[in-house]
Amino acid sequence: MTITRKLKYDNPRLSMGGVDISMSSEVKILGLTIDAALTFNAHVKNVCAKAMNVYKQLSRAARVSWGLHPEVIRTIYTAVVEPIIMYAASAWAPATAKLGVQKQLGVVQRGFAQKLCRAYRTVSLNAAMVLAGMLPLDLRIQEAKALYEAKRGVVLPMLADREVERRVAFAHTPHPAKHVDLGFICLVDQTEVNDHCTQAVRIFTDGSKIEGKVGASLSLWNNDVETTNRKLKLPSYCTVYQTELLAICKATEEILASPEDSFGVYSDSRSALQSITNWSSTHHLAVTARRNLIESMAIGKGVSLFWVKAHAEVRENDRADALAKAAARTLKTKPHYDRCPVSYVKRMIRMGTLDEWNRRFRDEPTASVTKFFFPNSECALKIIRRVDTTSLTTQIFTGHGGFSEYLNRFKLKDDPSCVCEPGVPETPLHIIFECPLFAKERYNTESTLRTEITRSNVKELLSKNLLEGFMAYAIKIVRKAVKRNGATSKALDI
């Protein structure tokens, strides 16, 4: 196979032992189909077909009766379909910029989105994905590519000049033959701490993230007296896990620099201690702390690691906690450690994804009823999580269901008008906010919620405090309207 983007080129003529070797237009390497023009169209076609086979099997199991629970369908999509399509995403992600590829991915996603939110087949893809809480597949692939590049040192625009925290390569870690047993002792109260205070120097470490600020501390003790302490500053995007690891790492540096010969390192972070004592952990700070511990032991220093239960009225640990909070709030120095955690990178990438999805959702000419309730997709994700998604709630949020206006579009009803007044289309918005036939229910709900049920007040009605009451009212009256039109609406059921 010759890989080139030239329109005209000469195929090389190869032969071996008098037998001509023909050229191939594509080759499959480790499950990734690479074509001669690097379009990856064949790969997208293959993975979409594979995912659609899964969808067809699901469709046979979940027919009109909805035999599979939506969460089961979501699990199948998340655990099977997405991994199939996103395999080797960092290699072929540029292909998702093409409209044809986006349409192929949308076909796969549409079926799952509609089954998750129990929508009619006529519901638009964007509306179905918003109600199902699904991100577009092409954007998920772009996320995977961006994360892959960030982990390998590629500078991403959203991170500016910040360095991403990278794992230490195994080639730069000690040979397994040089590993020594590292462990820690668990202490749950002051009495147990006092029973183990036989070291010449005891170092209590802690980390804190409070009010959006991050800090860590070391508190060095000799018997019952604090001899010195040290405060550490970290940027606001760092995690508590990083602060705990940094504090222990700095404690090991103190051990190397001290002339004493016995030390105890006390921390209330079990996860940080487990990372340090586990040789398979390749976190940069954990590897550095282990290296310092091995060097200390090699020159005859005894070091013991302890986990102390947090908030158990251990005086020394409370002192370290107070110092860490003070460092987070008041320390005005250059950060002692400023590498971005992967969680922060994922959050920044996701923010960019949501911005792009919001743009698409706003620019899409369809899903007008869905946009009325949810002006943007990010807002929808927060609200939908608190709603028990049923076919009725989906009909309310899409306008596709047993309403006269919708049924008239498909010639299933002669008149799109509501029974309350000729010429007024029967839509979910009319039924919920304006129809006089449901004035009594509307008044009773307004009295309970202590707010008006109007179109201009929909944002407040969907707030956390009023959502449950408003949805109960909406479902109740929409059920009556759908039941009234039930004889004709069954023709459009999925």
mmCIF file of all heavy atoms in Angstrom, residues 135-163:
data_model
loop_
_atom_site.group_PDB
_atom_site.id
_atom_site.type_symbol
_atom_site.label_atom_id
_atom_site.label_comp_id
_atom_site.label_asym_id
_atom_site.label_seq_id
_atom_site.Cartn_x
_atom_site.Cartn_y
_atom_site.Cartn_z
ATOM 1 N N LEU A 135 -23.317 12.846 25.114
ATOM 2 C CA LEU A 135 -22.515 13.756 24.308
ATOM 3 C C LEU A 135 -22.391 13.218 22.892
ATOM 4 O O LEU A 135 -22.328 11.991 22.700
ATOM 5 C CB LEU A 135 -21.115 13.907 24.906
ATOM 6 C CG LEU A 135 -20.990 14.725 26.191
ATOM 7 C CD1 LEU A 135 -19.589 14.587 26.765
ATOM 8 C CD2 LEU A 135 -21.298 16.181 25.936
ATOM 9 N N PRO A 136 -22.357 14.083 21.866
ATOM 10 C CA PRO A 136 -22.153 13.602 20.493
ATOM 11 C C PRO A 136 -20.877 12.786 20.376
ATOM 12 O O PRO A 136 -19.847 13.132 20.968
ATOM 13 C CB PRO A 136 -22.074 14.900 19.685
ATOM 14 C CG PRO A 136 -22.834 15.897 20.488
ATOM 15 C CD PRO A 136 -22.587 15.536 21.917
ATOM 16 N N LEU A 137 -20.931 11.711 19.620
ATOM 17 C CA LEU A 137 -19.794 10.799 19.529
ATOM 18 C C LEU A 137 -18.560 11.465 18.932
ATOM 19 O O LEU A 137 -17.432 11.177 19.352
ATOM 20 C CB LEU A 137 -20.183 9.581 18.690
ATOM 21 C CG LEU A 137 -20.751 8.380 19.461
ATOM 22 C CD1 LEU A 137 -21.240 7.312 18.509
ATOM 23 C CD2 LEU A 137 -19.705 7.819 20.399
ATOM 24 N N ASP A 138 -18.758 12.334 17.956
ATOM 25 C CA ASP A 138 -17.577 12.975 17.360
ATOM 26 C C ASP A 138 -16.866 13.867 18.369
ATOM 27 O O ASP A 138 -15.631 13.962 18.372
ATOM 28 C CB ASP A 138 -17.966 13.777 16.115
ATOM 29 C CG ASP A 138 -18.922 14.909 16.424
ATOM 30 O OD1 ASP A 138 -20.026 14.645 16.942
ATOM 31 O OD2 ASP A 138 -18.572 16.071 16.178
ATOM 32 N N LEU A 139 -17.629 14.486 19.279
ATOM 33 C CA LEU A 139 -16.999 15.301 20.314
ATOM 34 C C LEU A 139 -16.323 14.420 21.361
ATOM 35 O O LEU A 139 -15.275 14.785 21.915
ATOM 36 C CB LEU A 139 -18.039 16.203 20.975
ATOM 37 C CG LEU A 139 -18.699 17.246 20.070
ATOM 38 C CD1 LEU A 139 -19.651 18.123 20.872
ATOM 39 C CD2 LEU A 139 -17.646 18.111 19.372
ATOM 40 N N ARG A 140 -16.898 13.258 21.659
ATOM 41 C CA ARG A 140 -16.254 12.324 22.586
ATOM 42 C C ARG A 140 -14.920 11.835 22.016
ATOM 43 O O ARG A 140 -13.938 11.660 22.744
ATOM 44 C CB ARG A 140 -17.178 11.131 22.842
ATOM 45 C CG ARG A 140 -18.385 11.445 23.677
ATOM 46 C CD ARG A 140 -18.035 11.545 25.162
ATOM 47 N NE ARG A 140 -17.635 10.247 25.701
ATOM 48 C CZ ARG A 140 -16.442 9.967 26.183
ATOM 49 N NH1 ARG A 140 -15.493 10.888 26.205
ATOM 50 N NH2 ARG A 140 -16.162 8.778 26.671
ATOM 51 N N ILE A 141 -14.878 11.625 20.702
ATOM 52 C CA ILE A 141 -13.642 11.186 20.056
ATOM 53 C C ILE A 141 -12.599 12.296 20.122
ATOM 54 O O ILE A 141 -11.415 12.033 20.374
ATOM 55 C CB ILE A 141 -13.932 10.771 18.603
ATOM 56 C CG1 ILE A 141 -14.774 9.488 18.606
ATOM 57 C CG2 ILE A 141 -12.651 10.564 17.816
ATOM 58 C CD1 ILE A 141 -15.403 9.160 17.280
ATOM 59 N N GLN A 142 -13.032 13.533 19.933
ATOM 60 C CA GLN A 142 -12.102 14.656 20.046
ATOM 61 C C GLN A 142 -11.575 14.785 21.477
ATOM 62 O O GLN A 142 -10.413 15.131 21.704
ATOM 63 C CB GLN A 142 -12.798 15.952 19.616
ATOM 64 C CG GLN A 142 -13.115 16.043 18.131
ATOM 65 C CD GLN A 142 -11.867 16.165 17.268
ATOM 66 O OE1 GLN A 142 -10.798 16.496 17.755
ATOM 67 N NE2 GLN A 142 -12.019 15.875 15.987
ATOM 68 N N GLU A 143 -12.431 14.506 22.455
ATOM 69 C CA GLU A 143 -11.992 14.516 23.850
ATOM 70 C C GLU A 143 -10.905 13.473 24.087
ATOM 71 O O GLU A 143 -9.896 13.748 24.745
ATOM 72 C CB GLU A 143 -13.178 14.215 24.770
ATOM 73 C CG GLU A 143 -14.085 15.381 25.053
ATOM 74 C CD GLU A 143 -15.114 15.058 26.116
ATOM 75 O OE1 GLU A 143 -15.341 13.865 26.394
ATOM 76 O OE2 GLU A 143 -15.689 15.993 26.694
ATOM 77 N N ALA A 144 -11.122 12.268 23.569
ATOM 78 C CA ALA A 144 -10.135 11.199 23.751
ATOM 79 C C ALA A 144 -8.802 11.577 23.124
ATOM 80 O O ALA A 144 -7.730 11.315 23.696
ATOM 81 C CB ALA A 144 -10.666 9.897 23.143
ATOM 82 N N LYS A 145 -8.854 12.211 21.968
ATOM 83 C CA LYS A 145 -7.616 12.637 21.306
ATOM 84 C C LYS A 145 -6.900 13.706 22.124
ATOM 85 O O LYS A 145 -5.679 13.645 22.334
ATOM 86 C CB LYS A 145 -7.942 13.191 19.919
ATOM 87 C CG LYS A 145 -6.730 13.768 19.196
ATOM 88 C CD LYS A 145 -7.137 14.640 18.038
ATOM 89 C CE LYS A 145 -5.930 15.342 17.435
ATOM 90 N NZ LYS A 145 -6.302 16.338 16.409
ATOM 91 N N ALA A 146 -7.651 14.701 22.605
ATOM 92 C CA ALA A 146 -7.038 15.786 23.379
ATOM 93 C C ALA A 146 -6.403 15.267 24.664
ATOM 94 O O ALA A 146 -5.303 15.678 25.049
ATOM 95 C CB ALA A 146 -8.085 16.856 23.695
ATOM 96 N N LEU A 147 -7.083 14.334 25.347
ATOM 97 C CA LEU A 147 -6.534 13.770 26.583
ATOM 98 C C LEU A 147 -5.279 12.954 26.299
ATOM 99 O O LEU A 147 -4.298 13.023 27.058
ATOM 100 C CB LEU A 147 -7.590 12.898 27.256
ATOM 101 C CG LEU A 147 -7.195 12.282 28.599
ATOM 102 C CD1 LEU A 147 -6.872 13.374 29.608
ATOM 103 C CD2 LEU A 147 -8.293 11.376 29.126
ATOM 104 N N TYR A 148 -5.289 12.196 25.217
ATOM 105 C CA TYR A 148 -4.115 11.399 24.829
ATOM 106 C C TYR A 148 -2.914 12.315 24.578
ATOM 107 O O TYR A 148 -1.795 12.039 25.036
ATOM 108 C CB TYR A 148 -4.450 10.590 23.584
ATOM 109 C CG TYR A 148 -3.299 9.778 23.039
ATOM 110 C CD1 TYR A 148 -3.026 8.510 23.530
ATOM 111 C CD2 TYR A 148 -2.493 10.278 22.016
ATOM 112 C CE1 TYR A 148 -1.973 7.759 23.028
ATOM 113 C CE2 TYR A 148 -1.439 9.538 21.504
ATOM 114 C CZ TYR A 148 -1.185 8.276 22.017
ATOM 115 O OH TYR A 148 -0.129 7.548 21.519
ATOM 116 N N GLU A 149 -3.149 13.409 23.878
ATOM 117 C CA GLU A 149 -2.052 14.335 23.572
ATOM 118 C C GLU A 149 -1.554 15.042 24.832
ATOM 119 O O GLU A 149 -0.347 15.226 25.022
ATOM 120 C CB GLU A 149 -2.517 15.358 22.536
ATOM 121 C CG GLU A 149 -2.778 14.761 21.157
ATOM 122 C CD GLU A 149 -3.283 15.797 20.174
ATOM 123 O OE1 GLU A 149 -3.737 16.885 20.639
ATOM 124 O OE2 GLU A 149 -3.242 15.543 18.959
ATOM 125 N N ALA A 150 -2.494 15.427 25.710
ATOM 126 C CA ALA A 150 -2.093 16.126 26.939
ATOM 127 C C ALA A 150 -1.224 15.236 27.815
ATOM 128 O O ALA A 150 -0.244 15.698 28.418
ATOM 129 C CB ALA A 150 -3.331 16.576 27.707
ATOM 130 N N LYS A 151 -1.561 13.959 27.898
ATOM 131 C CA LYS A 151 -0.787 13.044 28.729
ATOM 132 C C LYS A 151 0.618 12.824 28.178
ATOM 133 O O LYS A 151 1.508 12.396 28.908
ATOM 134 C CB LYS A 151 -1.505 11.693 28.833
ATOM 135 C CG LYS A 151 -2.745 11.723 29.716
ATOM 136 C CD LYS A 151 -3.379 10.344 29.793
ATOM 137 C CE LYS A 151 -4.574 10.328 30.734
ATOM 138 N NZ LYS A 151 -5.195 8.986 30.821
ATOM 139 N N ARG A 152 0.813 13.137 26.902
ATOM 140 C CA ARG A 152 2.112 12.941 26.283
ATOM 141 C C ARG A 152 2.852 14.237 26.024
ATOM 142 O O ARG A 152 3.778 14.298 25.233
ATOM 143 C CB ARG A 152 1.950 12.142 24.987
ATOM 144 C CG ARG A 152 1.834 10.666 25.272
ATOM 145 C CD ARG A 152 0.986 9.919 24.271
ATOM 146 N NE ARG A 152 0.842 8.521 24.703
ATOM 147 C CZ ARG A 152 -0.006 8.128 25.638
ATOM 148 N NH1 ARG A 152 -0.784 9.019 26.235
ATOM 149 N NH2 ARG A 152 -0.078 6.869 25.987
ATOM 150 N N GLY A 153 2.425 15.289 26.704
ATOM 151 C CA GLY A 153 3.193 16.523 26.688
ATOM 152 C C GLY A 153 2.824 17.532 25.634
ATOM 153 O O GLY A 153 3.467 18.581 25.542
ATOM 154 N N VAL A 154 1.808 17.249 24.812
ATOM 155 C CA VAL A 154 1.387 18.217 23.808
ATOM 156 C C VAL A 154 0.661 19.368 24.507
ATOM 157 O O VAL A 154 -0.215 19.141 25.346
ATOM 158 C CB VAL A 154 0.455 17.560 22.761
ATOM 159 C CG1 VAL A 154 -0.041 18.588 21.752
ATOM 160 C CG2 VAL A 154 1.182 16.423 22.058
ATOM 161 N N VAL A 155 1.019 20.586 24.169
ATOM 162 C CA VAL A 155 0.418 21.765 24.802
ATOM 163 C C VAL A 155 -0.971 22.003 24.228
ATOM 164 O O VAL A 155 -1.130 22.158 23.015
ATOM 165 C CB VAL A 155 1.298 23.013 24.595
ATOM 166 C CG1 VAL A 155 0.640 24.238 25.234
ATOM 167 C CG2 VAL A 155 2.685 22.797 25.188
ATOM 168 N N LEU A 156 -1.968 22.017 25.089
ATOM 169 C CA LEU A 156 -3.335 22.287 24.663
ATOM 170 C C LEU A 156 -3.679 23.746 24.912
ATOM 171 O O LEU A 156 -3.284 24.316 25.927
ATOM 172 C CB LEU A 156 -4.319 21.394 25.431
ATOM 173 C CG LEU A 156 -4.141 19.873 25.263
ATOM 174 C CD1 LEU A 156 -5.197 19.133 26.071
ATOM 175 C CD2 LEU A 156 -4.217 19.477 23.805
ATOM 176 N N PRO A 157 -4.434 24.381 24.005
ATOM 177 C CA PRO A 157 -4.761 25.808 24.170
ATOM 178 C C PRO A 157 -5.470 26.115 25.487
ATOM 179 O O PRO A 157 -5.194 27.142 26.117
ATOM 180 C CB PRO A 157 -5.673 26.099 22.971
ATOM 181 C CG PRO A 157 -5.325 25.056 21.963
ATOM 182 C CD PRO A 157 -4.954 23.841 22.740
ATOM 183 N N MET A 158 -6.373 25.235 25.936
ATOM 184 C CA MET A 158 -7.125 25.516 27.153
ATOM 185 C C MET A 158 -6.276 25.426 28.420
ATOM 186 O O MET A 158 -6.660 25.905 29.473
ATOM 187 C CB MET A 158 -8.336 24.586 27.268
ATOM 188 C CG MET A 158 -8.022 23.138 27.591
ATOM 189 S SD MET A 158 -7.581 22.128 26.165
ATOM 190 C CE MET A 158 -9.087 22.120 25.243
ATOM 191 N N LEU A 159 -5.085 24.815 28.331
ATOM 192 C CA LEU A 159 -4.198 24.700 29.491
ATOM 193 C C LEU A 159 -3.127 25.771 29.527
ATOM 194 O O LEU A 159 -2.337 25.824 30.475
ATOM 195 C CB LEU A 159 -3.530 23.312 29.503
ATOM 196 C CG LEU A 159 -4.466 22.106 29.592
ATOM 197 C CD1 LEU A 159 -3.655 20.815 29.571
ATOM 198 C CD2 LEU A 159 -5.303 22.174 30.860
ATOM 199 N N ALA A 160 -3.083 26.611 28.479
ATOM 200 C CA ALA A 160 -2.056 27.668 28.386
ATOM 201 C C ALA A 160 -0.670 27.018 28.484
ATOM 202 O O ALA A 160 -0.365 26.083 27.766
ATOM 203 C CB ALA A 160 -2.292 28.721 29.459
ATOM 204 N N ASP A 161 0.169 27.508 29.388
ATOM 205 C CA ASP A 161 1.527 26.969 29.495
ATOM 206 C C ASP A 161 1.677 26.012 30.679
ATOM 207 O O ASP A 161 2.792 25.703 31.098
ATOM 208 C CB ASP A 161 2.537 28.107 29.626
ATOM 209 C CG ASP A 161 2.264 28.986 30.845
ATOM 210 O OD1 ASP A 161 1.159 28.874 31.409
ATOM 211 O OD2 ASP A 161 3.146 29.781 31.218
ATOM 212 N N ARG A 162 0.561 25.529 31.230
ATOM 213 C CA ARG A 162 0.646 24.641 32.381
ATOM 214 C C ARG A 162 1.132 23.257 31.959
ATOM 215 O O ARG A 162 0.733 22.731 30.931
ATOM 216 C CB ARG A 162 -0.722 24.522 33.062
ATOM 217 C CG ARG A 162 -1.284 25.842 33.566
ATOM 218 C CD ARG A 162 -2.563 25.598 34.359
ATOM 219 N NE ARG A 162 -3.149 26.846 34.798
ATOM 220 C CZ ARG A 162 -4.205 27.425 34.224
ATOM 221 N NH1 ARG A 162 -4.771 26.842 33.182
ATOM 222 N NH2 ARG A 162 -4.687 28.558 34.676
ATOM 223 N N GLU A 163 1.981 22.676 32.788
ATOM 224 C CA GLU A 163 2.510 21.343 32.520
ATOM 225 C C GLU A 163 1.589 20.305 33.138
ATOM 226 O O GLU A 163 1.183 20.418 34.289
ATOM 227 C CB GLU A 163 3.917 21.207 33.104
ATOM 228 C CG GLU A 163 4.583 19.875 32.792
ATOM 229 C CD GLU A 163 5.972 19.769 33.380
ATOM 230 O OE1 GLU A 163 6.419 20.764 33.992
ATOM 231 O OE2 GLU A 163 6.596 18.699 33.231
#
